[in-house]
């Protein structure tokens, strides 16, 4: 089992370009999440999908959109990249949206916007 | 406001030198506290979940404990392979709305031979 996979691993964009980060899981989990991680700060939630067919904003959603394509896949789109979006992006999954369950993370996508 | 603070920011140990990492939290109610290990260039790896004060969990050289205001990750006789960033996250109780996980900024642990 691959667990949680993310593509690409690295990406460099110019300001104003768009791109989609892909996440897939084979854990049969219902809930999926997108986080960003910046130096000196905790992981911050961008968007989440409690279950297939639903998506909601997290703490820092501005400049991003998401699609829950099916139970396995959850993508994050940057429509017009900005230098402030330079970060490491992690996808995570959880068995259910109920509190108390742990999340499992992918390996991350390192994005640089110049 | 719900908050999670980890200390110290960085810790350097000699191999075999035991120590503890701290995670202090301020939340209205606790539904779970999680510890993760993160190696450079990788995603966080789940270690433990703690639910109530007095609970303890162990795995190899690591032991996590929980009180009403903080959690400790005790590392006994660490080895260089224990070097990583350790993240603490709290799931607060909240009526209505999204019940998000709140992460601390992490403690960078370096264990030298």
């Amino acid at each position: 089992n691959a667990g949680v996979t993310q593509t690409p691993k690295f990406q460099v964009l110019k300001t104003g370009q768009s791109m989609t980060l892909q996440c897939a899981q084979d854990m049969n989990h219902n809930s999926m999440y997108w986080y960003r991680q910046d130096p000196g700060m905790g992981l911050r939630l961008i968007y989440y999908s409690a279950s297939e067919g639903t998506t909601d904003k997290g703490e820092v959603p501005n400049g991003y959109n998401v699609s829950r394509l099916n139970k396995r896949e959850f993508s994050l789109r940057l429509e017009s990249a900005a230098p402030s979006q330079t970060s490491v992006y992690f996808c995570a999954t959880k068995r259910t949206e109920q509190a108390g369950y742990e999340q499992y993370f992918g390996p991350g996508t390192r994005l640089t916007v110049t | 406001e719900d908050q999670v603070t980890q200390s110290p920011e960085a810790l350097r140990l000699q191999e075999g030198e035991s120590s503890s990492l701290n995670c202090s939290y301020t939340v209205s109610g606790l539904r779970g506290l999680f510890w993760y290990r993160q190696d450079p260039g990788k995603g966080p790896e789940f270690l433990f979940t703690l639910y109530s004060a007095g609970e303890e969990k162990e795995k190899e050289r690591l032991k996590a404990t929980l009180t009403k205001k903080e959690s400790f990750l005790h590392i006994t006789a660490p080895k260089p392979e224990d070097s990583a960033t350790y993240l603490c996250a709290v799931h607060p109780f909240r009526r209505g709305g999204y019940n998000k996980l709140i992460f601390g900024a992490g403690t960078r642990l370096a264990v030298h031979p």
Side-chain angles (χ1 to χ4, degrees):
Chain A
N1 290 342
V4 183
T5 58
Q6 292 184 236
T7 55
K9 289 193 188 317
F10 301 94
Q11 184 72 49
V12 179
L13 291 178
K14 292 188 179 198
T15 298
Q17 287 185 318
S18 62
M19 78 161 295
T20 300
L21 283 64
Q22 306 285 355
C23 174
Q25 53 108 353
D26 62 3
M27 304 177 78
N28 200 33
H29 284 178
N30 288 310
S31 303
M32 298 185 74
Y33 308 81
W34 276 106
Y35 289 90
R36 60 179 288 171
Q37 187 176 43
D38 301 295
M41 303 182 73
L43 285 153
R44 292 183 292 166
L45 183 67
I46 305 171
Y47 269 92
Y48 69 100
S49 171
S51 60
E52 186 179 354
T54 69
T55 60
D56 281 290
K57 295 178 182 178
E59 207 179 333
V60 288
N62 291 346
Y64 306 95
N65 282 301
V66 291
S67 294
R68 182 76 183 265
L69 305 170
N70 48 52
K71 187 171 184 178
R72 289 187 63 245
E73 297 171 290
F74 189 36
S75 63
L76 178 72
R77 182 159 179 84
L78 287 69
E79 290 291 350
S80 179
S84 60
Q85 294 179 305
T86 293
S87 188
V88 183
Y89 291 85
F90 290 102
C91 175
T93 72
K94 196 166 76 155
R95 193 172 86 179
T96 168
E97 184 40 38
Q98 285 180 343
Y101 288 96
E102 63 273 13
Q103 295 183 12
Y104 293 89
F105 287 81
T109 294
R110 280 143 192 82
L111 174 67
T112 302
V113 183
T114 61
Chain B
E1 182 186 343
D2 297 329
Q3 200 165 5
V4 176
T5 304
Q6 291 187 247
S7 61
E9 284 187 23
L11 181 63
R12 179 188 168 115
L13 298 174
Q14 289 299 122
E15 184 171 2
E17 180 187 1
S18 301
S19 189
S20 297
L21 313 183
N22 177 264
C23 172
S24 298
Y25 60 92
T26 306
V27 296
S28 50
L30 184 68
R31 297 298 296 274
L33 185 142
F34 306 87
W35 281 99
Y36 288 86
R37 170 192 169 125
Q38 186 173 23
D39 292 301
K42 298 196 174 178
E45 174 190 346
F46 170 71
L47 292 173
F48 303 111
T49 307
L50 300 166
Y51 292 106
S52 55
E55 191 175 359
E56 298 183 353
K57 293 269 178 79
E58 277 189 75
K59 180 180 178 179
E60 296 179 0
R61 294 176 293 282
L62 300 177
K63 182 166 86 171
T65 62
L66 181 64
T67 71
K68 286 191 176 178
K69 293 193 175 181
E70 56 193 349
S71 176
F72 292 94
L73 185 66
H74 307 277
I75 303 177
T76 302
K79 298 182 177 181
E81 53 261 42
D82 294 322
S83 298
T85 296
Y86 291 86
L87 302 175
C88 169
V90 166
H91 216 155
F93 174 80
R94 194 167 282 134
R95 292 186 196 279
Y98 172 63
N99 211 355
K100 71 173 185 179
L101 208 53
I102 303 170
F103 282 86
T107 293
R108 290 191 312 281
L109 173 66
V111 182
H112 296 268

